[in-house]
């Protein structure tokens, strides 16, 4: 929220440890929406991010690949950095980010995303925890596009 996300969507990928069903996810989404509202108030942000409904991995890739810059953050990516993927892009581009769960993504999931137009990017030399990877990626995007 503080770094500018406009929508946050929970995704069920192959290695997710927590397995929510649609009903359980809807209940959690209500709580997450309240948290997003409070975070937006606290940081002085006028836009409250939408908490989307739980998506399957394939649904999430289909949705995310529609952005001008569809980023797939993958710990196995060694050739394209986030900085390279953002370089030279228009500041008004739409950006989507897919970040893995605790177990990361399988090679099949990475190939699926790539085959559907997602740009596979690494987030540096260290593998980030799922709790910090999205904030890190958003902060980098803010730096590239807003500063």
């Amino acid at each position: 929220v503080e770094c500018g996300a406009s929508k946050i969507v929970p995704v069920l990928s192959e290695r997710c440890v927590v397995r929510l069903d649609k009903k359980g996810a809807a209940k959690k989404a209500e709580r997450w929406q309240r948290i997003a509202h409070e975070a937006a108030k606290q940081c002085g942000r006028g836009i409250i991010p939408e908490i989307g409904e739980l998506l399957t991995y394939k649904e999430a890739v289909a949705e995310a690949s529609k952005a001008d810059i569809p980023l797939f953050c993958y710990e196995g990516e060694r050739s394209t950095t986030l900085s390279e993927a953002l370089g030279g892009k228009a500041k008004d581009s739409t950006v989507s980010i897919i970040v893995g769960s605790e177990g990361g993504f399988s090679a099949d999931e990475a190939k699926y995303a790539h085959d559907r137009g997602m740009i596979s990017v690494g987030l540096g030399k260290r593998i980030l925890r799922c709790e910090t990877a999205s904030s890190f990626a958003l902060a980098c995007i803010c730096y590239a596009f807003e500063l």
Side-chain angles (χ1 to χ4, degrees), residues 96-108:
S96 62
I97 305 168
I98 293 184
V99 176
S101 63
E102 302 90 352
F105 293 111
S106 70
D108 288 342

Side-chain angles (χ1 to χ4, degrees), residues 6-122:
S6 61
K7 186 173 184 179
I8 302 167
V9 180
V11 177
L12 284 174
S13 61
E14 191 176 309
R15 296 180 180 164
C16 281
V17 174
V18 176
R19 291 284 176 184
L20 296 173
D21 58 17
K22 293 280 184 181
K23 184 179 177 183
K27 186 170 183 156
K28 283 199 177 277
E30 290 176 22
R31 179 176 175 273
W32 294 334
Q33 191 65 64
R34 285 192 308 275
I35 292 169
H37 182 269
E38 291 302 316
K41 272 182 24 182
Q42 185 177 13
C43 73
R45 184 166 182 213
I47 298 170
I48 300 169
E50 171 191 352
I51 304 299
E53 69 178 51
L54 177 68
L55 297 180
T56 66
Y57 177 76
K58 290 181 178 181
E59 291 170 333
V61 169
E63 186 64 30
S65 65
K66 296 175 187 174
D68 297 330
I69 308 171
L71 302 173
F72 180 78
C73 301
Y74 182 48
E75 64 276 6
E77 179 58 52
R78 302 286 182 249
S79 61
T80 305
T81 66
L82 181 57
S83 177
E84 291 166 344
L86 296 174
K89 304 291 188 200
K91 303 236 185 256
D92 62 348
S93 298
T94 58
V95 181
S96 62
I97 305 168
I98 293 184
V99 176
S101 63
E102 302 90 352
F105 293 111
S106 70
D108 288 342
E109 287 174 322
K111 181 178 181 337
Y112 183 87
H114 179 267
D115 291 349
R116 278 139 189 90
M118 300 291 297
I119 303 166
S120 182
V121 296

